[in-house]
Amino acid sequence: MKPLLLGIDALSYTSFMKCNPRFLLALFSSTFRGVVLNKKPQHPASSWMSVLEMQEVKGDSFFKDVETPTLIKETKAVAINIPITNPTYGEVSFEYNDSVSPQEEISKVAETILEELESRPVIASITVLDRMLHKSKENKCELYKQVDDVIRKIVNKADDFILFSPYGEPTSDRPDEHEDYGVYLSTVPRPNEHDTVKLHEIGVLFRRLVGQ
Amino acid sequence: MSSDYDAELEKLLNKKLKQIINESKRMQEKHEEKELVAHLTSETFDDFIRSHKIAVVDFWAEWCAPCIILAPIIEELARDYPQVGFGKLNSDENPDIASRYGVMSLPTVIFFKDGEPVDEVLGAVPREELEVRLKQLIE
């Protein structure tokens, strides 16, 4: 199996106690972990582009007509549902709003990741938490359960992975306002033990993982 | 019939007014949330623990994932026990205070009574574990 870079936009440690996502908590206890730091404004597109370009990228809207990002070129990875454009970029592409059901996105993304992972590195995103929690947090723990279940399915098949969120949960209905702290769980340790993980470092770590 | 009434203008003004009210509500909520758990520094720490009969201080750091897990539990308790002073202190930025209380691992929650440390809990623990100690101190 090839390495996997999986982003779960808006996944937050602050909901781990409340929602008790069993598999994520098991990963938390058994893998390398860290905190992703990304201060406001945190738009999905600029946050993801910082990972894919391995340097800080600013912006407050989705990109139009993007060239193949550096990390994808250099690792020859397949991109799946990456929210740098709207609709999302890659093999699977959905509108970045609440029109797509959680189940529809989760099952299509998981299916494609599992198909592709056998032959090439995968860079994928599951956007459901970010898309839905900007509107309402009523079903948060139900969404966490669905995300937790699919992560179990995917990560159990991957030998090497970086699972991260580029920022925490939405703090308002604006697309660029989230908690500053995201999740980092991986088979590779964070760059500095006593420091947060920066977005561009995630791209560098994945490139190194593919090069091994 | 002549009239100064302009329906379109009134609609725009109402929309703007709603926006201002919502923004003000949001700022107020953010302000209240910030105040719920005081962000302490080396300069404010001593005054804080002395000015509250019972104070609970969460020693944390940005890179510490269990600290981020614990943060909402501390906020919940602060909301439910307004008679207790809740604070958080960044150990990286205020190492003098952390070393004064022998904080070696994060998160560490220290309970103070009359300015003196009387109990502590290490790690990201469930709410109940903190609450049972808090209740003992209050009673």
Side-chain angles (χ1 to χ4, degrees), chain A residues 99-116:
Chain A
S99 66
V100 182
S101 78
Q103 200 47 50
E104 187 183 357
E105 185 203 3
I106 285 172
S107 58
K108 186 68 192 159
V109 170
E111 183 192 316
T112 313
I113 291 174
L114 293 173
E115 272 172 24
E116 296 286 350

Side-chain angles (χ1 to χ4, degrees), chain A:
Chain A
M1 285 286 175
K2 301 292 181 185
L4 167 68
L5 177 61
L6 178 60
I8 311 287
D9 293 38
L11 181 70
S12 174
Y13 286 130
T14 59
S15 287
F16 274 30
M17 282 284 198
K18 183 180 165 71
C19 297
N20 197 23
R22 295 290 176 91
F23 186 71
L24 282 166
L25 285 167
L27 281 183
F28 186 81
S29 308
S30 60
T31 60
F32 293 109
R33 66 194 186 202
V35 175
V36 174
L37 178 65
N38 180 14
K39 301 248 179 188
K40 288 178 188 62
Q42 312 118 326
H43 194 274
S46 56
S47 300
W48 263 98
M49 207 50 123
S50 299
V51 175
L52 298 177
E53 288 301 328
M54 295 171 281
Q55 61 181 346
E56 192 182 352
V57 175
K58 295 196 173 187
D60 60 1
S61 59
F62 288 102
F63 296 97
K64 299 200 167 45
D65 306 323
V66 291
E67 283 183 26
T68 307
T70 308
L71 185 64
I72 295 175
K73 260 190 231 161
E74 290 190 3
T75 58
K76 298 186 173 60
V78 58
I80 298 171
N81 195 37
I82 310 293
I84 50 177
T85 55
N86 190 8
T88 53
Y89 175 90
E91 294 279 304
V92 175
S93 179
F94 289 113
E95 288 284 333
Y96 205 90
N97 56 38
D98 58 0
S99 66
V100 182
S101 78
Q103 200 47 50
E104 187 183 357
E105 185 203 3
I106 285 172
S107 58
K108 186 68 192 159
V109 170
E111 183 192 316
T112 313
I113 291 174
L114 293 173
E115 272 172 24
E116 296 286 350
L117 209 49
E118 292 191 19
S119 55
R120 50 183 171 164
V122 171
I123 300 174
S125 173
I126 292 176
T127 66
V128 58
L129 292 177
D130 198 36
R131 290 189 297 109
M132 298 299 171
L133 297 180
H134 270 299
K135 301 282 173 199
S136 162
K137 296 198 174 170
E138 258 179 43
N139 298 323
K140 181 165 75 176
C141 288
E142 175 50 36
L143 292 173
Y144 264 72
K145 165 114 184 44
Q146 290 184 40
V147 167
D148 191 53
D149 288 346
V150 79
I151 292 173
R152 181 199 309 265
K153 206 166 139 188
I154 296 168
V155 166
N156 277 339
K157 286 277 166 63
D159 298 326
D160 286 306
F161 65 87
I162 296 172
L163 170 71
F164 79 103
S165 53
Y167 37 70
E169 278 174 21
T171 51
S172 76
D173 54 4
R174 288 176 53 104
D176 58 357
E177 288 192 347
H178 302 85
E179 298 166 341
D180 293 344
Y181 304 113
V183 169
Y184 176 88
L185 298 167
S186 175
T187 50
V188 287
R190 61 185 188 258
N192 300 301
E193 196 190 345
H194 287 129
D195 202 354
T196 51
V197 183
K198 312 300 180 298
L199 291 173
H200 68 274
E201 292 174 334
I202 294 172
V204 174
L205 285 172
F206 185 69
R207 181 173 62 182
R208 204 175 294 154
L209 195 57
V210 172
Q212 277 173 2

Side-chain angles (χ1 to χ4, degrees), chain B residues 10-25:
Chain B
E10 185 167 321
K11 206 172 150 188
L12 283 171
L13 285 172
N14 279 337
K15 195 178 165 191
K16 190 70 194 165
L17 187 65
K18 265 186 196 165
Q19 272 178 1
I20 291 168
I21 290 170
N22 284 340
E23 186 64 22
S24 153
K25 264 188 197 164

